[in-house]
Amino acid sequence: MENRFPIFDVAPVVYYGEEVVPVKSIAEESINVRATVVREGHDGLLVEVVLIDPSGVEVSRTPMREFWPGTDRYEAEVRTNSLGLWHFYIEALSPDRTLASKSSLYPIFAENDLALIGAWYEFFPRSEGAKLNKDGSITSGTFKTAERSLQRVADMKFDVLYLPPIHPIGYAFRKGRNNTLTPTESDPGVPWAIGNNDGGHDAINPVLGTMADFEHFVKAASKLGIRIAMDFALQCSPDHPWAKDHPEWFTIRADGTIAYAENPPKKYQDIYPINFDKDYAGMLAESFRVLELWISKGVKLFRVDNPHTKPVQFWHELIAKVNRTYPDVVFLSEAFTRPAMMHALGKAGFQQSYTYFTWRTSKEELRAYGTEVSVETSAFFRPNFWVNTPDILPFHLQSGAPAIFAMRALLASTMTPSWGMYAGFELYEHLPLREGAEEYLDSEKYEIKVRDWSKPTLAPFISLLNSIRRDNRALQRLRNLRFHPTDSDKIIAYSKRDGENLILVIVNLDPIHAQETIVHWNFYDLGIAEQPMKVTDLISGYTFEYAPHTWVRIDPATPGTPVGQILKVTL
Amino acid sequence: MENRFPIFDVAPVVYYGEEVVPVKSIAEESINVRATVVREGHDGLLVEVVLIDPSGVEVSRTPMREFWPGTDRYEAEVRTNSLGLWHFYIEALSPDRTLASKSSLYPIFAENDLALIGAWYEFFPRSEGAKLNKDGSITSGTFKTAERSLQRVADMKFDVLYLPPIHPIGYAFRKGRNNTLTPTESDPGVPWAIGNNDGGHDAINPVLGTMADFEHFVKAASKLGIRIAMDFALQCSPDHPWAKDHPEWFTIRADGTIAYAENPPKKYQDIYPINFDKDYAGMLAESFRVLELWISKGVKLFRVDNPHTKPVQFWHELIAKVNRTYPDVVFLSEAFTRPAMMHALGKAGFQQSYTYFTWRTSKEELRAYGTEVSVETSAFFRPNFWVNTPDILPFHLQSGAPAIFAMRALLASTMTPSWGMYAGFELYEHLPLREGAEEYLDSEKYEIKVRDWSKPTLAPFISLLNSIRRDNRALQRLRNLRFHPTDSDKIIAYSKRDGENLILVIVNLDPIHAQETIVHWNFYDLGIAEQPMKVTDLISGYTFEYAPHTWVRIDPATPGTPVGQILKVTL
């Protein structure tokens, strides 16, 4: 009998539109599989999930258990262990295994670790090694001078260095400081206003150096264990070669002009948007050509600018085309927009995405959002938690209190396996454009920054956080984030476990006052028996015995370890 | 470009296992259709749902609206208007309609009204016209005497009369009064212990009369506008002809005997269960033969006994086979079990199901369950709210207070389009088997009841409720149930609207004390502008003007209209 035990609501299954696309995974990752299965009467039912590796071999058959009595909903963890396209199916059996039902096969795609795991740092090469001259003018940094900053990035133990666009910058409607429309001769322009007579998306801004300089820079970074992520911004300055050679890629208004780009409330007078509906195939081919060029230079990560202003289907096809030839290339979606669009871009193929973490500050907000990204949407949406970006100086950083910088870095680096930080954060930069704005004053988007790296810095703490991340695989996974009750709204507690690596994190969300509470560990989620735990605080180095209900006091005024604990449990 | 605007999470779509099966509907019914659609950038998006009738003609194209800003989730109502297999699809368009995406086609099956709408009454024919003789013995009722009871059912304006099994009853292990294992000669046996030398599922119990008597009974009911629902209980007494002729339909134990049926904690020593895995095709064919026989006698409704103890797939195939030839036959699932199984049976094909209403008593329980069945599961699960059954005398009725009987009937008959009542309810029968049990003392399952119909009765109120239901199409629909806040936990308020028929219901859940509160009507859900409403209470006949925030006082001691109001709004 077919459907002897009907199998309903198999999860995770991801649909891009109405097409089943693979669940996101990396080579070594545990995935929670669920299905509802019913059997008549009172005889037992055996439900198993069968995992098939990329070569088509059944590698595991895992019994599923009803995760809450009476629900008929079964779950089990499956674990991929190599790259490629895996599948799973559900089988329901009578105990004697004479009667059975099987579900369809559902896909899981295991990608390169960088698709999920990475500490990202962002700097503008033109500011690295830039000099303030005696006459008040600034000499731009170049790839050569920026190469000297790589050691600073490596010392903080970042894995990825993301560069805003490095291409020639247009002159038409060039912006001045603080987004003014009246630039001076010396204003360098916005890197996202791509293209001028020196070339477009396939060229290097001559101010920064030559293609050879760039290649040298990528290699130097690589020697320090740093991968370069480039910006891929599908738009251009009116001076871009595309504007002349490919008018069919733009919307020409009745008066013969092209409308500039907007992302309300922001206006980009110096940027033309692409019209993808006029020569879709041409734009797809050109994008592939450009990406392939940079891939040939050693770049495997692309941070895609505002993908939500371009057709989702375009990304679906472009990313699939790139990944068919270059399976280890990773695309990060810079979509700060409505949840459905952010999710759609993940389903379409983006390996990871910017998130709302930047604005989640209270304990309940962090718990809810952490659970959303780790449990509810992890099959198709990999979060990259950025503490700041050149576009966003969140209100909570505007006090400049060092503890809140440390706290946000601690949260971002331990809640998810990918987190990001834009240069200046470690120097506690915190002045807004104006009261009520979440933008930086004197934003680096419009000018070259000459920073004083001798000022007090959070860099050693960042380095410690990234080092702890490298040493603890539990922190390199997403789906394992679990929150634990505490008696205080100011103290959040969560855990991550992968195999024998079990990490507890306790954070004081109050950057000013000491807070104390009891943390009530959920031992079911920890996967151990309820008992006192021997723990080592990887921040302070101290070892403790923590009771199942742990009293903690965290004082942001404590030198060196101001804001929380990262506890490794001895199993 | 395909997927120009990707369309996600179309609803309602029903899966039986992994097979898409039609959304449940009747000829004239509004269905809420939803889909998530994203478009890049800031241009407008037009989302429409297109409805296709059973002949393949596109009959409507309805603009969908984003039901909460920022969700990208769109909704619209579509309305079927004839029997048969309908389809819908979603289309997303740019305003100028030059760019478009279409979803797949999704099925909706519009069935006969009785699949959704009906007031059901249950009686045991053997008790109707039964007589208590002077020597203490009882003369059984028959179809002939039961025919005289049909007027009583018609006077209460019930649409359907459901009969427990009318087949010969086995002698082996026959049960005595109150489920005892020591019957006397005069005990009539349990009607569900089907079959003896006089025949099985295709025969009439000679005590009740002949097949001709039954046919006469069905016709007499039909003349009064009452349809007969039969019991279909796939099990048998050890004396059933199947036990001798078809040993392959049973599980024979090592000692050569057959195990009796159980539905823990209940034991049915007088009943053999079927083993469907031994001769599945044979049992399917026999079931079809039996059903077809009774269909030929004019029966179009079957109440299926304990379907959750038989394979779900069996029902999927049997119901499909019956409905292919007899599309107006309705199956009611008597599954009081885990939600996943009850839902699976609906997805498998049952037109309607018994529910948990019988145990939902508080305002919050009724609101949550009402919303579940009307909104969350209405695509595949049609509830039939029974206030009692021969198996269930719920605790809340055991006080015998007339007001609670009236209140439960008022709730059941107005919350959902199908409700049911088992004979004796109108006489306030309320004595439990023992303290702590929800079963009747001297249950009619084991004995013939001689009732005194001259006692105080709720029948006039039942008649009024069913009459109001017949006059107001809003009460004949399921998906339109909406709850409205009140300031009291004791007073529940809800509304139902279908076209120009708008009904408000206010019920005092306290059967003893008068309660008063303010009802805060949600005018968005009512579909009218916020303003005072002219209403007529269909119970009392009074006309009022009700403010948007209505003060009400309901006193269960009020003669005649004890427990609530059914208000028709003048639009």
Side-chain angles (χ1 to χ4, degrees):
Chain A
M1 195 191 315
E2 265 189 271
N3 265 323
R4 183 62 184 81
F5 311 113
I7 299 169
F8 298 88
D9 301 322
V10 175
V13 179
V14 179
Y15 290 85
Y16 167 67
E18 295 175 311
E19 172 195 348
V20 173
V21 292
V23 167
K24 282 179 165 46
S25 176
I26 58 169
E28 291 271 355
E29 191 168 8
S30 281
I31 296 169
N32 181 265
V33 173
R34 297 189 178 192
T36 299
V37 190
V38 295
R39 179 176 190 173
E40 78 284 359
H42 305 279
D43 291 327
L45 182 65
L46 205 60
V47 184
E48 299 180 333
V49 51
V50 180
L51 188 65
I52 301 172
D53 77 9
S55 71
V57 174
E58 290 194 6
V59 290
S60 66
R61 176 175 279 274
T62 313
M64 301 176 79
R65 59 185 192 78
E66 204 183 358
F67 74 87
W68 199 259
T71 59
D72 293 312
R73 187 118 182 106
Y74 293 80
E75 70 166 0
E77 301 287 317
V78 297
R79 198 172 180 99
T80 53
N81 61 27
S82 67
L83 296 175
L85 186 62
W86 295 68
H87 290 86
F88 72 90
Y89 68 89
I90 309 293
E91 187 160 9
L93 302 128
S94 58
D96 63 1
R97 293 180 173 267
T98 56
L99 306 171
S101 291
K102 278 186 192 185
S103 78
S104 304
L105 289 180
Y106 294 99
I108 298 173
F109 189 65
E111 297 178 278
N112 213 32
D113 281 5
L114 270 180
L116 175 68
I117 310 159
W120 291 51
Y121 188 74
E122 172 176 2
F123 72 40
F124 286 68
R126 68 188 184 188
S127 293
E128 299 298 325
K131 278 190 296 202
L132 179 62
N133 302 313
K134 285 184 180 157
D135 63 358
S137 69
I138 289 174
T139 302
S140 177
T142 64
F143 280 118
K144 280 193 174 128
T145 61
E147 233 180 87
R148 296 199 288 272
S149 299
L150 289 170
Q151 191 58 51
R152 186 179 94 234
V153 181
D155 287 348
M156 287 190 284
K157 300 201 163 57
F158 281 103
D159 308 304
V160 177
L161 173 61
Y162 152 57
L163 310 177
I166 57 174
H167 315 300
I169 298 173
Y171 296 101
F173 307 102
R174 179 173 281 198
K175 297 283 181 92
R177 293 183 170 221
N178 289 310
N179 202 18
T180 51
L181 300 175
T182 51
T184 64
E185 279 288 318
S186 62
D187 281 318
V190 174
W192 286 270
I194 297 169
N196 64 26
N197 284 340
D198 295 319
H201 287 70
D202 51 3
I204 298 281
N205 183 350
V207 176
L208 297 174
T210 64
M211 185 65 87
D213 293 341
F214 175 70
E215 292 177 84
H216 195 273
F217 179 84
V218 173
K219 282 191 187 116
S222 180
K223 278 185 197 150
L224 293 167
I226 298 167
R227 281 89 159 189
I228 299 300
M230 274 179 66
D231 199 289
F232 187 60
L234 269 186
Q235 61 207 25
C236 65
S237 154
D239 301 329
H240 194 291
W242 287 347
K244 195 168 56 192
D245 302 343
H246 293 282
E248 72 275 16
W249 290 349
F250 303 92
T251 302
I252 315 290
R253 292 189 292 199
D255 64 3
T257 62
I258 301 176
Y260 62 76
E262 297 188 59
N263 187 15
K266 293 181 179 161
K267 296 182 175 190
Y268 306 102
Q269 292 90 342
D270 51 346
I271 291 173
Y272 280 176
I274 307 291
N275 180 335
F276 291 80
D277 292 306
K278 293 180 76 178
D279 176 24
Y280 181 77
M283 184 43 62
L284 198 62
E286 172 69 355
S287 297
F288 185 74
R289 185 188 70 78
V290 166
L291 290 168
E292 204 166 34
L293 169 73
W294 298 111
I295 292 168
S296 78
K297 307 297 179 195
V299 176
K300 300 211 165 168
L301 300 114
F302 295 91
R303 175 269 200 194
V304 177
D305 192 65
N306 281 341
H308 57 293
T309 61
K310 290 97 188 173
V312 178
Q313 175 69 5
F314 177 83
W315 300 117
H316 184 58
E317 294 183 35
L318 181 62
I319 294 171
K321 188 172 164 69
V322 170
N323 282 158
R324 263 195 300 277
T325 314
Y326 309 101
D328 53 352
V329 167
V330 169
F331 292 88
L332 165 63
S333 158
E334 188 244 357
F336 292 106
T337 184
R338 296 147 67 123
M341 173 57 89
M342 292 172 69
H343 293 164
L345 291 164
K347 294 167 184 173
F350 276 94
Q351 276 77 9
Q352 47 180 263
S353 176
Y354 283 68
T355 71
Y356 299 144
F357 166 76
T358 316
W359 298 278
R360 296 291 181 268
T361 56
S362 74
K363 177 180 166 185
E364 177 51 23
E365 285 171 345
L366 290 162
R367 188 206 59 73
Y369 195 62
T371 301
E372 177 184 321
V373 296
S374 63
V375 176
E376 295 162 27
T377 62
S378 55
F380 55 83
F381 182 87
R382 293 199 194 94
N384 191 328
F385 276 11
W386 285 73
V387 291
N388 68 331
T389 78
D391 286 311
I392 310 163
L393 169 66
F395 290 124
H396 53 264
L397 296 181
Q398 295 180 14
S399 71
I404 196 154
F405 285 75
M407 179 236 289
R408 296 297 295 179
L410 171 55
L411 290 167
S413 64
T414 57
M415 284 178 73
T416 66
S418 279
W419 78 292
M421 187 182 118
Y422 153 58
F425 182 91
E426 65 271 53
L427 299 179
Y428 313 112
E429 289 180 358
H430 64 280
L431 295 182
L433 179 61
R434 60 173 187 279
E435 203 179 340
E438 290 199 306
E439 290 175 73
Y440 282 96
L441 178 68
D442 302 329
S443 166
E444 199 166 359
K445 290 190 288 182
Y446 310 104
E447 62 189 86
I448 295 169
K449 302 293 269 192
V450 180
R451 291 190 170 89
D452 178 0
W453 293 105
S454 69
K455 289 206 290 184
T457 174
L458 191 64
F461 186 63
I462 302 293
S463 177
L464 177 62
L465 290 175
N466 282 332
S467 176
I468 292 169
R469 285 167 46 88
R470 287 189 182 173
D471 294 343
N472 291 280
R473 197 157 75 167
L475 296 175
Q476 298 167 22
R477 294 297 180 273
L478 170 64
R479 291 170 160 98
N480 58 352
L481 178 63
R482 299 291 179 272
F483 292 86
H484 300 263
T486 76
D487 295 340
S488 164
D489 278 350
K490 295 295 183 189
I491 293 186
I492 192 167
Y494 47 93
S495 67
K496 304 194 94 173
R497 179 170 183 166
D498 189 80
E500 294 306 294
N501 185 217
L502 173 59
I503 298 291
L504 316 178
V505 182
I506 308 173
V507 184
N508 178 2
L509 300 175
D510 180 343
I512 312 292
H513 305 97
Q515 297 285 347
E516 56 183 60
T517 194
I518 308 282
V519 180
H520 306 280
W521 300 106
N522 178 335
F523 283 79
Y524 177 85
D525 279 345
L526 296 182
I528 55 178
E530 180 161 339
Q531 60 190 7
M533 297 175 280
K534 198 179 159 193
V535 298
T536 304
D537 181 2
L538 301 175
I539 295 175
S540 68
Y542 290 121
T543 295
F544 309 99
E545 186 167 274
Y546 268 14
H549 300 266
T550 307
W551 178 85
V552 290
R553 181 173 197 278
I554 301 176
D555 185 348
T558 307
T561 60
V563 291
Q565 302 177 343
I566 303 178
L567 304 152
K568 182 170 183 167
V569 180
T570 304
L571 293 183
Chain B
M1 194 189 320
E2 267 190 89
N3 264 324
R4 183 62 185 81
F5 312 113
I7 298 168
F8 298 89
D9 301 324
V10 176
V13 180
V14 179
Y15 290 85
Y16 167 68
E18 295 174 312
E19 172 197 347
V20 173
V21 293
V23 168
K24 283 179 164 43
S25 174
I26 57 168
E28 289 273 355
E29 192 168 8
S30 280
I31 296 168
N32 182 266
V33 173
R34 296 187 180 196
T36 300
V37 190
V38 294
R39 178 174 192 176
E40 78 285 357
H42 305 278
D43 290 327
L45 183 63
L46 205 61
V47 184
E48 299 179 333
V49 51
V50 180
L51 189 65
I52 299 171
D53 78 10
S55 70
V57 174
E58 290 194 7
V59 290
S60 66
R61 176 175 280 273
T62 313
M64 301 177 80
R65 60 188 191 77
E66 204 183 357
F67 73 88
W68 198 259
T71 59
D72 293 312
R73 188 119 180 105
Y74 293 81
E75 71 168 359
E77 303 287 318
V78 296
R79 198 171 180 101
T80 53
N81 60 27
S82 66
L83 297 174
L85 187 61
W86 294 68
H87 290 86
F88 72 91
Y89 68 88
I90 309 292
E91 187 159 11
L93 301 128
S94 58
D96 63 359
R97 293 181 174 264
T98 55
L99 307 170
S101 292
K102 278 185 193 187
S103 78
S104 304
L105 289 181
Y106 295 100
I108 298 173
F109 190 65
E111 298 178 278
N112 214 32
D113 281 5
L114 269 180
L116 176 68
I117 310 158
W120 291 51
Y121 187 74
E122 172 176 2
F123 72 42
F124 287 67
R126 70 188 183 188
S127 294
E128 299 299 325
K131 277 190 293 198
L132 178 62
N133 302 313
K134 285 184 182 160
D135 64 358
S137 68
I138 287 175
T139 302
S140 176
T142 64
F143 280 118
K144 281 195 173 127
T145 61
E147 234 180 85
R148 296 198 288 271
S149 299
L150 289 171
Q151 189 60 50
R152 186 179 93 236
V153 182
D155 286 347
M156 287 189 284
K157 300 201 163 55
F158 281 104
D159 307 304
V160 178
L161 173 62
Y162 152 56
L163 310 177
I166 56 174
H167 315 301
I169 297 173
Y171 296 102
F173 307 101
R174 179 174 280 199
K175 298 283 183 87
R177 291 181 173 226
N178 289 311
N179 201 16
T180 52
L181 300 175
T182 51
T184 64
E185 279 287 318
S186 62
D187 280 319
V190 174
W192 286 271
I194 297 168
N196 65 25
N197 284 340
D198 295 318
H201 286 70
D202 50 4
I204 297 280
N205 183 350
V207 176
L208 297 176
T210 64
M211 185 65 87
D213 293 340
F214 175 70
E215 292 177 87
H216 195 273
F217 179 84
V218 173
K219 284 194 186 112
S222 179
K223 277 184 198 151
L224 293 168
I226 298 167
R227 280 88 159 188
I228 298 300
M230 275 181 65
D231 199 289
F232 187 60
L234 269 186
Q235 60 208 24
C236 64
S237 154
D239 301 329
H240 194 291
W242 286 347
K244 194 169 58 194
D245 303 342
H246 293 283
E248 73 276 15
W249 291 348
F250 303 92
T251 302
I252 315 291
R253 292 189 294 201
D255 64 4
T257 62
I258 300 176
Y260 63 74
E262 297 190 57
N263 186 16
K266 294 181 178 161
K267 297 183 175 188
Y268 307 101
Q269 291 91 341
D270 50 347
I271 291 175
Y272 280 176
I274 306 292
N275 181 335
F276 290 81
D277 292 306
K278 293 179 76 176
D279 177 23
Y280 180 76
M283 184 43 63
L284 199 60
E286 173 68 355
S287 296
F288 185 74
R289 184 189 71 79
V290 166
L291 289 169
E292 204 166 32
L293 169 71
W294 298 112
I295 292 169
S296 78
K297 307 295 180 196
V299 176
K300 300 212 165 168
L301 301 114
F302 295 91
R303 177 268 200 194
V304 176
D305 192 65
N306 280 341
H308 58 292
T309 62
K310 291 97 188 172
V312 178
Q313 176 68 8
F314 178 82
W315 300 118
H316 184 58
E317 294 183 36
L318 181 62
I319 293 172
K321 189 173 162 69
V322 171
N323 282 158
R324 263 194 300 277
T325 313
Y326 309 100
D328 53 351
V329 167
V330 169
F331 292 89
L332 164 63
S333 159
E334 190 243 358
F336 290 107
T337 184
R338 297 149 66 125
M341 175 56 92
M342 292 172 69
H343 293 165
L345 291 165
K347 293 167 183 173
F350 276 95
Q351 275 79 7
Q352 48 179 263
S353 177
Y354 283 68
T355 72
Y356 299 144
F357 166 76
T358 316
W359 298 279
R360 297 292 180 270
T361 55
S362 74
K363 177 180 165 183
E364 178 50 24
E365 286 172 344
L366 288 164
R367 189 206 59 75
Y369 195 62
T371 301
E372 177 185 320
V373 297
S374 62
V375 176
E376 296 163 25
T377 62
S378 55
F380 54 83
F381 182 86
R382 292 199 194 95
N384 191 328
F385 277 11
W386 285 72
V387 290
N388 69 330
T389 78
D391 285 312
I392 310 163
L393 169 66
F395 290 125
H396 53 264
L397 294 182
Q398 295 180 14
S399 70
I404 196 154
F405 284 74
M407 179 235 290
R408 296 297 293 179
L410 171 55
L411 290 168
S413 63
T414 57
M415 285 177 73
T416 66
S418 279
W419 78 292
M421 188 183 118
Y422 153 58
F425 183 91
E426 66 270 53
L427 299 179
Y428 311 112
E429 288 180 1
H430 63 279
L431 295 182
L433 179 61
R434 60 173 186 280
E435 202 179 341
E438 290 199 304
E439 290 175 73
Y440 282 95
L441 177 69
D442 302 329
S443 166
E444 197 166 359
K445 291 189 289 182
Y446 310 104
E447 62 189 85
I448 294 169
K449 302 293 269 192
V450 181
R451 291 191 170 89
D452 178 1
W453 294 104
S454 68
K455 288 207 290 185
T457 174
L458 192 62
F461 187 63
I462 302 293
S463 176
L464 178 61
L465 291 176
N466 283 333
S467 174
I468 292 169
R469 285 166 46 87
R470 286 188 183 175
D471 293 343
N472 290 280
R473 196 157 77 166
L475 296 175
Q476 299 167 21
R477 293 298 180 272
L478 170 64
R479 292 169 159 101
N480 58 352
L481 178 64
R482 299 290 179 274
F483 291 87
H484 300 263
T486 76
D487 295 341
S488 164
D489 278 351
K490 295 293 183 192
I491 293 186
I492 191 167
Y494 47 92
S495 67
K496 304 194 95 174
R497 180 172 182 165
D498 189 80
E500 293 306 294
N501 185 217
L502 174 58
I503 298 291
L504 317 177
V505 182
I506 307 173
V507 184
N508 178 3
L509 300 175
D510 180 342
I512 312 292
H513 305 97
Q515 297 286 346
E516 58 185 57
T517 194
I518 308 281
V519 180
H520 306 281
W521 300 106
N522 179 335
F523 283 80
Y524 178 85
D525 279 345
L526 297 182
I528 55 178
E530 180 162 338
Q531 61 192 8
M533 296 176 280
K534 198 178 159 194
V535 299
T536 303
D537 181 1
L538 301 176
I539 296 176
S540 69
Y542 290 120
T543 294
F544 308 100
E545 186 167 274
Y546 268 15
H549 300 268
T550 307
W551 178 86
V552 289
R553 183 174 195 276
I554 301 176
D555 185 348
T558 306
T561 61
V563 291
Q565 303 177 342
I566 304 177
L567 304 152
K568 181 170 183 168
V569 180
T570 305
L571 293 183

